[in-house]
Amino acid sequence: MRKTKKFLALALATGLMLSSMTVFAEEENNTPPESEVEVEVEETVGPKTSSYSGGTVMTSPSGIKQFEGSKPGADDDVAEGDFWYDGQSMKQWNGSAWVDTASGSSSSSSSSQKREEDKVAAALAREGSLLLAEAIAEGFVNGAEMQYAQDASKSAGEYYNNAVVTTPGIENATPVAQGGKLVIDGKVTNATATISKVSVAFVDSAKSATDGTVLNVVNVQFPSVEAIINFYMPGIADGASVEALQYTDGAWANVEVAEVRADHVTLNLKGNGVVAFIAK
């Protein structure tokens, strides 16, 4: 009986030990293998690099791009706020143009430039208004034509009538004008001879070359080698004795006078140059 109790006690102890070993084994079997363990990895956030037709581009997580290399083109998906480094300075796209960021933000730089442009435009407008008022007062259509005439030392009447009315060195000069209809190769054309002023040196030279009265001295330019030219000279009497000299190769030479009638003198000129009208 006593042996039976010892055997039962031993069996119970053995069973408990086996049961404990079984539970421990099950706990070990419930632990996943290393290959199945989930490890949390923190993702590194940073710019992504790609390429475009001009070089490379860095794209930040917020979508802002920084282009490097030649100028980005229309197909490179440029957005407002993107940057571009051209090898010398950093520029930013303001929606319509690349603005240099060296002097500050693109918006402030653009705003400052706009203010300066507005100031210049306002100043030019004021000057233009004053110039126009002066031109109209002097008899010109606009300021530009007044300046052209001033460069030629002409009044409004002389400028618009292709004439020379006053000449330095000649008191009460006879006006000389030309209204077109040059005769070239025997045919009346639409060509016009341009009449411009000369320096007082030509006047003095013409006076020394003749014993007549110098009526006027002008520069005559026309689009031909030879031409018969009718000059309008108010005050000239019909059939008056008028001669003409042309300054050629450093000397004065006689010019053929084709006709003299009231207010007109017609010359047969063999070339362009300075012409002196002489009353004999």
Side-chain angles (χ1 to χ4, degrees):
M1 186 62 152
R2 185 177 299 167
K3 291 182 178 180
T4 302
K5 290 182 177 180
K6 288 182 178 180
F7 175 78
L8 292 173
L10 180 60
L12 180 59
T14 300
L16 289 173
M17 184 173 64
L18 292 173
S19 174
S20 176
M21 292 175 64
T22 302
V23 171
F24 180 73
E26 289 178 354
E27 289 178 354
E28 284 187 339
N29 290 335
N30 288 334
T31 302
E34 290 184 2
S35 60
E36 297 180 5
V37 175
E38 295 182 2
V39 179
E40 183 176 355
V41 179
E42 182 178 355
E43 182 179 358
T44 302
V45 177
K48 298 179 181 179
T49 305
S50 60
S51 63
Y52 76 106
S53 59
T56 59
V57 57
M58 304 289 289
T59 305
S60 70
S62 61
I64 296 177
K65 296 179 286 298
Q66 178 178 320
F67 297 88
E68 293 184 359
S70 60
K71 190 173 183 179
D75 299 331
D76 295 319
D77 192 24
V78 180
E80 185 172 356
D82 288 349
F83 291 92
W84 166 46
Y85 181 70
D86 63 356
Q88 296 180 343
S89 62
M90 185 70 73
K91 305 179 185 297
Q92 189 173 24
W93 183 253
N94 65 5
S96 59
W98 290 104
V99 181
D100 199 328
T101 60
S103 59
S105 67
S106 60
S107 59
S108 62
S109 175
S110 177
S111 177
S112 176
Q113 181 179 358
K114 181 65 168 58
R115 287 195 297 270
E116 290 301 319
E117 291 176 351
D118 289 344
K119 289 180 181 178
V120 172
L124 290 175
R126 288 193 297 271
E127 291 181 5
S129 297
L130 293 174
L131 184 63
L132 178 59
E134 180 185 353
I136 292 175
E138 294 292 331
F140 293 94
V141 173
N142 53 53
E145 292 185 351
M146 181 180 72
Q147 290 180 331
Y148 294 148
Q150 289 176 346
D151 291 341
S153 300
K154 284 189 171 186
S155 65
E158 290 175 316
Y159 176 79
Y160 288 116
N161 291 290
N162 186 30
V164 169
V165 176
T166 62
T167 299
I170 301 178
E171 186 177 357
N172 299 320
T174 301
V176 177
Q178 213 291 305
K181 296 185 178 180
L182 271 61
V183 178
I184 300 174
D185 294 331
K187 297 179 180 180
V188 178
T189 69
N190 292 325
T192 299
T194 302
I195 309 300
S196 58
K197 296 194 175 189
V198 301
S199 67
V200 69
F202 283 106
V203 174
D204 293 339
S205 178
K207 287 180 177 179
S208 64
T210 180
D211 56 359
T213 302
V214 177
L215 300 174
N216 210 336
V217 182
V218 298
N219 192 345
V220 182
Q221 299 292 320
F222 54 94
S224 179
V225 176
E226 298 182 15
I228 297 176
I229 304 175
N230 176 26
F231 296 91
Y232 175 66
M233 299 181 66
I236 295 295
D238 188 25
S241 179
V242 176
E243 295 181 354
L245 302 175
Q246 185 169 23
Y247 193 78
T248 306
D249 297 328
W252 294 96
N254 289 318
V255 174
E256 179 187 349
V257 178
E259 182 184 20
V260 177
R261 55 189 175 88
D263 299 330
H264 294 271
V265 174
T266 301
L267 302 181
N268 185 7
L269 288 179
K270 303 298 183 179
N272 292 258
V274 176
V275 175
F277 293 88
I278 312 296
K280 299 297 289 185

